[in-house]
Amino acid sequence: MRNTPNGRRMTAALRATPVPVTAGSLAEAGRLIRAGGLVAFPTETVYGLGANAREGRAVARIYEAKGRPRFNPLIAHLASVDDARKLGIFSAEAEALAGAFWPGPLTLVVRRREDAALSDLLTAGLPTVALRVPAHDIALALIREAGVPIAAPSANISGRVSATRAGHVAADFGAAVDMILDGGPSMAGVESSIVALAGDGPVLLRAGAVAAEDIECVLGRSLRRAGSGAGIQAPGMLQSHYAPCALLRLDADAPRPGEAFLAFGPASAAPVGTLNLSPSADLREAAANLFAHLRALDNSGASAIAVMPVPETGLGEAINDRLRRAAAPR
Ligand code: TXA
Ligand code: MG
């Protein structure tokens, strides 16, 4: 963009301008979240790009705005430990860490409760869920206003540095977010530490704003580091992502005998047992349905799932990435 007065005005017009935090703007932000919108908000670590964690289409908008080529699971932000316990199963160690560090820059990955009303896209189909109670008055007030858990990755375009000021968010997302709450600079500037307590022994999935030593001190034992252990490569790669038992056959026009069918778009002759990611070919809807549909077809007992092609544009890239990895030989 040329640095002319005219050019500057045009850029500004495309940006969602950060708004000061008032009772009114918080109420509006909460309403936007409930209605499926995207609201960027400050936390003590970095700014988050928030959406209703219960609604798949709202969570899909996060991936779309960030340009994430993959559905990495996201953190659900809660206003209290009690609310977190409604979504995840807390072991004694999880309780100890929540008691010591919440509200604060620690994220706990625990087993997801069966009855947790959360979008499958938030957890990328995993049986675990990442939970955090941020230590930031504005973040907590927003979560309470919204009345739902808020899914929020760092508010930066995928691959760029995290945003620690409202202006960074505006520069990255322009009009792609519905509102940016301006809470001044984030204090920590680095993301939360992530500890998984969902399997055998605590694992540090991401080093972050809480020192590993301090976590180990509370646990009374050492953390396994992701990357040093068996098969764990990076945060979000733990336990691999949900992998169906059934084989996937991609780019299919129709199912063969014995195959379940995952359609996309207006499928003319849909056999019984077909699930459609989005009859209207809406990629947000398809993303929201992806994990639930895969799981349902997998549970139907079919040995293979034929999948119709999904366009490679926008969220289609992340959908296809997931489908290709699910189809890869195991
Ligand atoms: O400080 C923070 O944590 C910020 C603020 C906004 O809260 N959020 C943040 O979110 O950094 P994000 O999406 O950039 O990073 C979340 C990380 C990802 O690496 C993801 O793979 C991991 O958490 N994660 C989420 N759920 C998981 C799960 N069930 N199992 C393993 N890793 C998980
Ligand atoms: Mg990030």
Side-chain angles (χ1 to χ4, degrees):
M1 167 102 19
R2 297 233 351 237
N3 198 15
T4 62
N6 195 31
R8 274 204 296 275
R9 240 189 332 244
M10 280 180 63
T11 309
L14 291 172
R15 284 186 184 167
T17 314
V19 297
V21 176
T22 62
S25 63
L26 273 173
E28 172 66 3
R31 194 195 61 73
L32 282 167
I33 293 276
R34 279 195 304 282
L38 284 187
V39 175
F41 62 98
T43 82
E44 79 279 36
T45 58
V46 296
Y47 273 70
L49 186 62
N52 185 346
R54 301 203 192 283
E55 293 297 331
R57 281 189 199 220
V59 176
R61 285 195 60 194
I62 292 178
Y63 293 98
E64 194 175 45
K66 278 191 69 110
R68 270 203 183 171
R70 282 192 174 183
F71 294 128
N72 283 324
L74 303 174
I75 300 168
H77 295 70
L78 292 316
S80 70
V81 184
D82 271 350
D83 287 346
R85 286 195 199 99
K86 289 176 194 151
L87 303 179
I89 298 168
F90 277 58
S91 63
E93 287 191 314
E95 288 289 350
L97 292 182
F101 298 109
W102 281 358
L106 177 70
T107 294
L108 296 178
V109 172
V110 298
R111 289 196 73 78
R112 171 183 172 162
R113 278 193 188 283
E114 293 282 351
D115 60 353
L118 290 170
S119 123
D120 281 311
L121 196 52
L122 173 94
T123 55
L126 290 169
T128 54
V129 61
L131 304 170
R132 159 164 134 77
V133 179
H136 196 290
D137 288 347
I138 296 170
L140 293 172
L142 173 64
I143 299 163
R144 283 193 207 100
E145 278 290 342
V148 293
I150 297 185
S154 50
N156 54 279
I157 300 280
S158 191
R160 297 211 197 136
V161 295
S162 299
T164 52
R165 281 174 177 68
H168 298 166
V169 183
D172 262 21
F173 290 104
V177 295
D178 298 305
M179 192 184 218
I180 301 170
L181 286 174
D182 190 347
S186 289
M187 309 282 277
V190 292
E191 280 91 346
S192 60
S193 307
I194 305 181
V195 174
L197 293 161
D200 43 10
V203 183
L204 183 68
L205 294 181
R206 178 173 77 186
V210 178
E213 292 75 11
D214 294 344
I215 299 169
E216 290 174 331
C217 192
V218 170
L219 291 174
R221 61 168 164 163
S222 57
L223 289 164
R224 202 146 47 84
R225 260 54 171 187
S228 63
I232 303 165
Q233 289 135 31
M237 301 299 287
L238 184 75
Q239 300 163 331
S240 78
H241 283 206
Y242 164 70
C245 303
L247 297 172
L248 260 62
R249 185 169 66 83
L250 302 184
D251 291 323
D253 320 320
R256 295 176 184 152
E259 282 182 340
F261 191 41
L262 185 59
F264 175 83
S268 43
V272 186
T274 298
L275 289 179
N276 198 319
L277 288 170
S278 171
S280 62
D282 172 348
L283 288 167
R284 265 183 214 165
E285 183 184 26
N289 285 331
L290 179 65
F291 291 100
H293 281 11
L294 275 178
R295 195 179 290 272
L297 292 177
D298 203 18
N299 289 340
S300 74
S303 59
I305 303 169
V307 187
M308 277 180 75
V310 174
E312 194 66 40
T313 52
L315 281 174
E317 191 183 347
I319 294 171
N320 283 317
D321 168 72
R322 187 66 196 80
L323 288 171
R324 271 184 224 110
R325 284 188 294 138
R330 274 160 260 151

